[in-house]
Amino acid sequence: MSRSEAMRLAAGVTGGVLLAALAVAPASAASPVSIELNRLEARDSACRVSLVVANPGEKAIDSLKLDLVFFDKEGVISRRLAVEAGPLRASKTAVKLFDAAEVGCDSLSRVLLNDVTACGGEQDCLALVTTTSRVKGVEFGK
């Protein structure tokens, strides 16, 4: 085989590998998960937090661990809480409830999604999630 034939063969193989990688990349990329802070409800000495979590993807997520930080009206951290919002079935929206002990709902100004520590095997879990809030006067972001 001549040198020019060998170079053409190598270029063809390299191009084929690149095309195969591009074809696989979109299929393995996870669909974004949306988390909406939907409601805060006072419960004894806790604040019940209602999240609406939507997984539009075709792949179920067995675990979605959220690291949440609550801020009071002065912007001071009042509580940090880790919660499990999974499992999430594919193409499904679910409501997840949890109580933030010793947090007054009426004293909150912001909830920070500090991190997503597990999301079913994806590498950058925080990038997988989008956040919104329906609670008047309480921001929910990352």
Side-chain angles (χ1 to χ4, degrees):
M1 174 181 303
S2 72
R3 180 181 171 151
S4 64
E5 288 175 302
M7 289 180 71
R8 277 194 303 255
L9 178 62
V13 168
T14 302
V17 169
L18 286 174
L19 284 174
L22 288 173
V24 170
S28 66
S31 298
V33 171
S34 66
I35 303 175
E36 174 188 88
L37 178 61
N38 185 272
R39 182 176 180 175
L40 299 175
E41 181 182 4
R43 292 279 186 172
D44 299 323
S45 63
C47 181
R48 173 153 297 163
V49 179
S50 299
L51 299 177
V52 177
V53 184
N55 176 15
E58 295 178 8
K59 178 183 171 191
I61 299 173
D62 58 342
S63 178
L64 186 68
K65 293 182 182 176
L66 310 176
D67 176 14
L68 301 172
V69 180
F70 298 86
F71 292 82
D72 66 16
K73 300 278 186 204
E74 288 76 42
V76 176
I77 296 171
S78 61
R79 181 105 166 111
R80 185 172 181 188
L81 187 62
V83 298
E84 174 61 71
L88 297 171
R89 292 189 302 199
S91 302
K92 177 77 173 103
T93 300
V95 174
K96 304 294 181 171
L97 306 174
F98 62 90
D99 292 338
E102 300 176 15
V103 172
C105 296
D106 58 347
S107 69
L108 293 177
S109 67
R110 180 167 71 127
V111 179
L112 172 68
L113 178 59
N114 193 51
D115 202 0
V116 179
T117 59
C119 60
E122 294 298 321
Q123 294 298 320
D124 188 359
C125 294
L126 189 59
L128 176 69
V129 174
T130 62
T131 58
T132 57
S133 176
R134 284 193 184 265
V135 178
K136 187 171 185 151
V138 180
E139 176 186 334
F140 181 44
K142 54 183 184 170

